[in-house]
Amino acid sequence: MFQLIAGVFLASLAHAQHITNLINVTVPGKLPSQAHLDLLDAGIIGDPLYGFNEWNQFWVERSNWTYTSGPILGLNHGLGVESWLVFEGLDTFCEIKLCNHTVANVANQFRKYTFEVTDILPKCSGDLVLSLNFGSAPAIVLDIAATVGPEFQGRVYMRKEENDLGWDWSPQFAPAGPWRPAYVVQRAKKDPIFITNTAIDIFRQGQMPNLPPDQSKPFVFNASIDFFGIMPQGAEMHLRLVDSAGKTVKDTKLTDVYQSSETVTGSTIIYEDVDLWWPSGYGDQNLYTATVSVISDEFNKPAIVTRRVGFRTIVLNLEPVTEAQKAAGVGPGANWNFQINGHEMYAKGSNFIPPDVFWARINETTIRELFELAVVGRQNMLRVWSSGAYLPDWAYDLADEMGLLLWSEFQFSVAYFPTLPEFLAEYEAEVYYNSRRVNHHPSLALWAGGNELEYYIVLYYLDANPIRADYEKIFQEVIIKCVYANTHSISYIPSSTYHGYLSLDFDSVRPQVSRYLNTSGPDALYYDTDFYNYDGAQAFNYSSYPVGRFADEFGFPSMPSVHSWRDTIPEEALYLDSPYILHHNRHLGSGDTVMEQSAAGLAQVTDAVKYWYPLPDMKDQVANFSAWSWTTQVFQADYYASQIAFYRRGSGLSNRQLGSLYWQLNDVWVGPTWSSVEHSLRQKVVYYVAKDIYNPIIVHPFYDVDNNTLEIWVVSDLWDITSGEVTLKWMDWQGKTLDITSPAAVDSSNGQPLNVPFDIMPINATCVVRYPNLTSLFSNSTPASNALLSLSVKAGSHTHSSYFHPESLAGSAIQDPGLTLTVRSGSGGYSDVTQFKVTATKAVAAWVWLDHPSTVRGYFSQNGFWLDKGESRIVDFIVWDDFTQTGAWVDDVAVRSIWNNTLSE
Ligand SMILES: *[C@@H]1O[C@H](CO)[C@@H](O)[C@H](O)[C@H]1NC(C)=O
Ligand SMILES: *[C@@H]1O[C@H](CO)[C@@H](O)[C@H](O)[C@H]1NC(C)=O
Ligand SMILES: *[C@@H]1O[C@H](CO)[C@@H](O)[C@H](O)[C@H]1NC(C)=O
Ligand SMILES: *[C@@H]1O[C@H](CO)[C@@H](O)[C@H](O)[C@H]1NC(C)=O
Ligand SMILES: *[C@@H]1O[C@H](CO)[C@@H](O)[C@H](O)[C@H]1NC(C)=O
Ligand SMILES: *[C@@H]1O[C@H](CO)[C@@H](O)[C@H](O)[C@H]1NC(C)=O
Ligand SMILES: *[C@@H]1O[C@H](CO)[C@@H](O)[C@H](O)[C@H]1NC(C)=O
Ligand SMILES: *[C@@H]1O[C@H](CO)[C@@H](O)[C@H](O)[C@H]1NC(C)=O
């Protein structure tokens, strides 16, 4: 989002003429770009994500790459003209030269750089050529580590996306290049100032970050503009606020104008009626266009900046549990929950990682599709994990429109970072720039200092220790100060995992004093949870799950689909432990070699399947591989549903649990990862199952293996008291009703569907039925292996259903459901939505899965569900891209269920 200001000349550097590594390659270059992408376009390297190409292409990240422009034409060489180079993003270690004069050396991927080059231009003999010489990040960080000290890992010495050096879901490419746009900007006398950044802050009068504001107060609109050029004394600032229908809501001069040599700030109070912005599921995403102008008699025109804004308050409330809350059953400790416009909300969502290993090739289409999947999947919040890269403004714009809250983080991940003065200066500049840049977006929900930082301190460095001192310096003094200087509206926490603060004092050099493990008693709860357990045998054991107030990470890896593998490894490598698959797996176990470690990591995934499901054993190698891959997805989905239901039930227990963000929404490539959506955006089973369990009202069976008790709970995250009815029906796999005694408390009609009415309070949970001794329900004539409990709930317009099977599916008497699939409409046409009808003609069908070919991109309205015997389901497929162009892809849609695992072909 760059404003073109009348009077200021902006030459977009549309192309780099070429890029070269000075040793053996020179190819045409683009801008923005990264070296791998230009080498790929030139045919020098193959698809970096294919097969073992990551290893074959290490020479690219070990080279220096110089991007050289063509002659820059059309500049004003007149007297008194000021000139700047503007870079929206350079990745990362870069020497900038203009006609062979060094302009600067930079080392931060996350900053926007502007350099005045007014003095260099006249010295230029010959062509005006820009050259950007990028060093090899992996080589440079090792050099720095060698001089500064070995106690830091090399990657903490770069202000660069950390997964560029690999992660447990990411290959390593360490790309280099001008990854975001660049410009030449010129300003003649009487031209207005050139605006480089803005911080628009909309908050309730009196609001301070991290604290719930008084909702009866009017909104304050504060606009702060960073610029270059000379601001005349006495310049005025104006605001025009226009609603989405084009009506001007306010047109006013800003007051309390304060200016320095680089920034001008003013504010006004919005007494006018404005419609609030709400996240998806809670109301409309009302947006306004704010035009801020700076006017002076000395300018020939105003300097103007336009931002789309919204009116809302969002607070991460970490304040102590109040007496009123305690009276309502909330256990002691502190809150850990989001409040939108003064309402506590249940955060439902997932963790967003970079959409690709090369950010420079990502455009709005990909992000829009990902966000669409999240919103359609009933998610209202994404945690934008660090250490990827800060999202561009256009991504926040999409989230504003779609109602997705973005928990945002500074780029520091699970390590300890240097506090050398030059590094602190980089953090400060980066945080200042990014927190100002995105503050106006209503989707911005939170700033966290980084990923799992406190977790690391609490685990290893809690004793007085320089590492803890460095952590507190960076995240509780330097970064927090930059955030609080720029926002009244956004809460800050030092780390994604956080036990909260003992005190909050905005006047202190350390405004938040961390609580760490200083609890007021054994029952007091303060923290969010971040939980992984790779022992599949424990997956459905509730006593293995963490009890906290919010779950910001949890998950388990699964395989991508065979379709995606086909695009990325050879056909003959399509078997579970092929070297190609082991190479694409980064979830490692123990072993002597990397390949052994990968095999051990992957074995955790396949072992989990072995505990719980019938195992595919097909004659055809690829069909068998495909069935196994899918079954790992079923386990992942089953496990996530169980955890999400458990966390959501906590909203009605003393831990008052108010958020579940699973790990992870998306993928950077094709590999066995925790993702719910593959790199191509094809959805895994867990995507649909999470959508189902994120229904506002759910009915869910909780079988406690420790005490053999089955409880049926209803959970609601609605803000109203809701009444409804749960229907329970025991049946066998043939669909025949079973005469199973219902618990005495609710027993009225053995063998008949049982209807249990309930009332549920806002964001709460209630147990509707309890079977205190589950195994006592079964006998030789009614074995647990052939018993199913069908559950459904109806509450107003909300419905949800689920099944409980007392035996694992591996030990259950699964029957052939006789699935049929027909195309209902759109067949052969060009419609954006095609309907399928799937029916279980012979028996109950578990984990019904519709599978589409790679000749189409899009998503189903539902998938991965169960069907009663005789039940039909209409499923929509929303088409993004039909590569057959005729709708012929529908002929290749297949259906399966867990029953297919028992077939030999
Ligand atoms: C460039 O040199 C590196 C080694 O220095 C080599 O691995 C690579 O294949 C070469 N690339 C080309 C295109 O010749
Ligand atoms: C890359 O550039 C640095 C200096 O910027 C130099 O020390 C190094 O030798 C260069 N590396 C290669 C592979 O050319
Ligand atoms: C660029 O400047 C360096 C010294 O700073 C000089 O050695 C080199 O020849 C110059 N290159 C060109 C193309 O002028
Ligand atoms: C949840 O609902 C129960 C009644 O079912 C009520 O006693 C309790 O106070 C509610 N919890 C909260 C936090 O409001
Ligand atoms: C965005 O990127 C995708 C994938 O590279 C490409 O197919 C599409 O054409 C691009 N869209 C736009 C609007 O540039
Ligand atoms: C079984 O344990 C769960 C906690 O995991 C508890 O909610 C339930 O009340 C227990 N049931 C019995 C009968 O003890
Ligand atoms: C549960 O029921 C079984 C079978 O009826 C019985 O043997 C067992 O003692 C019961 N357990 C409890 C804790 O009541
Ligand atoms: C699943 O099995 C049924 C036969 O029971 C078959 O028609 C169907 O094609 C199978 N699905 C897949 C994906 O193999």
mmCIF file of all heavy atoms in Angstrom, residues 76-82 188-189:
data_model
loop_
_atom_site.group_PDB
_atom_site.id
_atom_site.type_symbol
_atom_site.label_atom_id
_atom_site.label_comp_id
_atom_site.label_asym_id
_atom_site.label_seq_id
_atom_site.Cartn_x
_atom_site.Cartn_y
_atom_site.Cartn_z
ATOM 1 N N ASN A 76 14.395 13.785 -12.317
ATOM 2 C CA ASN A 76 14.545 15.240 -12.351
ATOM 3 C C ASN A 76 15.927 15.590 -11.799
ATOM 4 O O ASN A 76 16.221 15.315 -10.637
ATOM 5 C CB ASN A 76 13.422 15.843 -11.494
ATOM 6 C CG ASN A 76 13.454 17.355 -11.492
ATOM 7 O OD1 ASN A 76 14.442 17.965 -11.925
ATOM 8 N ND2 ASN A 76 12.378 17.950 -11.010
ATOM 9 N N HIS A 77 16.791 16.139 -12.624
ATOM 10 C CA HIS A 77 18.146 16.486 -12.171
ATOM 11 C C HIS A 77 18.268 17.967 -11.834
ATOM 12 O O HIS A 77 19.360 18.506 -11.725
ATOM 13 C CB HIS A 77 19.194 16.071 -13.216
ATOM 14 C CG HIS A 77 19.278 14.577 -13.388
ATOM 15 N ND1 HIS A 77 20.067 13.766 -12.587
ATOM 16 C CD2 HIS A 77 18.627 13.728 -14.232
ATOM 17 C CE1 HIS A 77 19.911 12.500 -12.952
ATOM 18 N NE2 HIS A 77 19.035 12.458 -13.951
ATOM 19 N N GLY A 78 17.117 18.626 -11.691
ATOM 20 C CA GLY A 78 17.103 20.073 -11.436
ATOM 21 C C GLY A 78 17.666 20.428 -10.069
ATOM 22 O O GLY A 78 17.804 19.581 -9.188
ATOM 23 N N LEU A 79 17.957 21.692 -9.913
ATOM 24 C CA LEU A 79 18.493 22.175 -8.647
ATOM 25 C C LEU A 79 17.411 22.112 -7.568
ATOM 26 O O LEU A 79 16.241 22.325 -7.850
ATOM 27 C CB LEU A 79 18.960 23.624 -8.791
ATOM 28 C CG LEU A 79 20.392 23.814 -9.290
ATOM 29 C CD1 LEU A 79 20.700 25.297 -9.430
ATOM 30 C CD2 LEU A 79 21.394 23.149 -8.350
ATOM 31 N N GLY A 80 17.816 21.853 -6.342
ATOM 32 C CA GLY A 80 16.865 21.871 -5.230
ATOM 33 C C GLY A 80 15.951 20.674 -5.193
ATOM 34 O O GLY A 80 15.036 20.625 -4.374
ATOM 35 N N VAL A 81 16.183 19.697 -6.053
ATOM 36 C CA VAL A 81 15.350 18.490 -6.019
ATOM 37 C C VAL A 81 15.977 17.486 -5.058
ATOM 38 O O VAL A 81 17.176 17.202 -5.143
ATOM 39 C CB VAL A 81 15.227 17.872 -7.429
ATOM 40 C CG1 VAL A 81 14.475 16.552 -7.369
ATOM 41 C CG2 VAL A 81 14.527 18.846 -8.354
ATOM 42 N N GLU A 82 15.160 17.015 -4.134
ATOM 43 C CA GLU A 82 15.654 16.009 -3.192
ATOM 44 C C GLU A 82 15.275 14.628 -3.708
ATOM 45 O O GLU A 82 14.177 14.440 -4.228
ATOM 46 C CB GLU A 82 15.013 16.226 -1.812
ATOM 47 C CG GLU A 82 15.365 17.560 -1.183
ATOM 48 C CD GLU A 82 14.373 17.966 -0.091
ATOM 49 O OE1 GLU A 82 13.317 17.315 0.042
ATOM 50 O OE2 GLU A 82 14.662 18.953 0.602
ATOM 51 N N ALA A 188 10.503 18.202 -5.409
ATOM 52 C CA ALA A 188 10.973 19.537 -5.788
ATOM 53 C C ALA A 188 10.450 20.551 -4.767
ATOM 54 O O ALA A 188 9.595 20.240 -3.937
ATOM 55 C CB ALA A 188 10.480 19.885 -7.187
ATOM 56 N N LYS A 189 10.943 21.765 -4.840
ATOM 57 C CA LYS A 189 10.506 22.829 -3.939
ATOM 58 C C LYS A 189 8.982 22.957 -4.027
ATOM 59 O O LYS A 189 8.404 22.825 -5.098
ATOM 60 C CB LYS A 189 11.144 24.151 -4.410
ATOM 61 C CG LYS A 189 11.302 25.178 -3.329
ATOM 62 C CD LYS A 189 12.394 26.185 -3.715
ATOM 63 C CE LYS A 189 12.505 27.272 -2.665
ATOM 64 N NZ LYS A 189 11.546 28.335 -2.837
#
